[in-house]
Amino acid sequence: MKRGTLLLLWGLTLLWSFHSGRLDLLLRGVFHGLVGVTGLVLLMLGVALLLKREKQAERWRWPWLLSGVMAALVLVLPPSPSFSDLASNRPQGLPDPPELAFVLPPEQRSLTEWVRLLRSQPDPDLVAGNPVRISGFVWRQPQGPPLIARLTVRCCLADATPAGLAVKWPESFIPQTNQWLAIEGTMSVQTRKERRIPVVIPQNITPIARPERPLEP
């Protein structure tokens, strides 16, 4: 009975996470189906054990109780990761982009596509004046102004890689850590710490809700 109850609880937890959209904050979309199937299998196994009559009653053990408490907490407390803190503890280094990313018009490039292009482009002056339309979260830096950033994942948050762009923030606007923003403007080049770097010059900054799928492949 006890094992069946735990399997049933974990199956419901995975299925609820699959249907509620919580996985979008933790896992790349292509793996969501695997979580849903796993939840369904656990649910079926739990029901099968509950329907089976055990000859000898089982006693609750501490690992079982701990597992049940964890499943209940996952159901009650939705995940709310701090993307800025996570980005600060991850090295920057995006995988090679698809070729299509380099032929898109500037205003159609996402933030991560801009970062990939700029890393492959040794001369930032070549993109100066290009229009920019991007969205991301505010990534607080230990030194210097915050960046506008995104997290890219191959699988889940455990392998997340940050991609950030420098922004010349208007004096009238104070970016808040983890705040999601949509920015329209142009790309420029500035000298910071004796280096010429690409910088986004905003014309419009709009606070937005966190996207349903904030992680990018």
Side-chain angles (χ1 to χ4, degrees), residues 97-112:
E99 295 298 329
L100 182 61
F102 291 94
V103 299
L104 287 174
E107 63 273 11
Q108 294 183 17
R109 294 174 190 147
S110 67
L111 189 151
T112 53

Side-chain angles (χ1 to χ4, degrees), residues 138-141 143-148 165-169 175-177 192:
V138 177
W139 179 10
R140 183 67 60 180
Q141 300 294 291
Q143 297 179 347
L147 308 180
I148 186 76
L165 286 175
V167 180
K168 184 179 180 181
W169 302 103
Q176 303 296 322
T177 303
R192 295 185 181 182

Side-chain angles (χ1 to χ4, degrees), residues 12-61:
L12 290 173
T13 299
L14 293 182
L15 285 176
W16 171 249
S17 299
F18 174 74
H19 288 289
S20 66
R22 291 182 176 186
L23 292 179
D24 291 321
L25 298 176
L26 305 171
L27 190 67
R28 188 175 170 185
V30 295
F31 298 103
H32 290 187
L34 180 61
V35 174
V37 171
T38 303
L40 184 60
V41 170
L42 291 178
L43 189 66
M44 294 171 62
L45 289 175
V47 171
L49 285 177
L50 289 175
L51 293 177
K52 180 181 178 182
R53 294 184 178 181
E54 298 288 348
K55 294 181 179 180
Q56 188 175 11
E58 296 176 291
R59 292 186 304 172
W60 283 103
R61 304 178 187 275

Side-chain angles (χ1 to χ4, degrees), residues 189-202:
V189 181
Q190 294 184 352
T191 301
R192 295 185 181 182
K193 297 181 180 180
E194 300 181 353
R195 291 180 52 208
R196 289 178 57 77
I197 64 171
V199 178
V200 177
I201 308 297

Side-chain angles (χ1 to χ4, degrees), residues 1-3 5-6 57-66 68:
M1 287 288 289
K2 311 302 189 298
R3 286 178 296 178
T5 302
L6 286 177
E58 296 176 291
R59 292 186 304 172
W60 283 103
R61 304 178 187 275
W62 280 111
W64 296 359
L65 289 173
L66 182 60

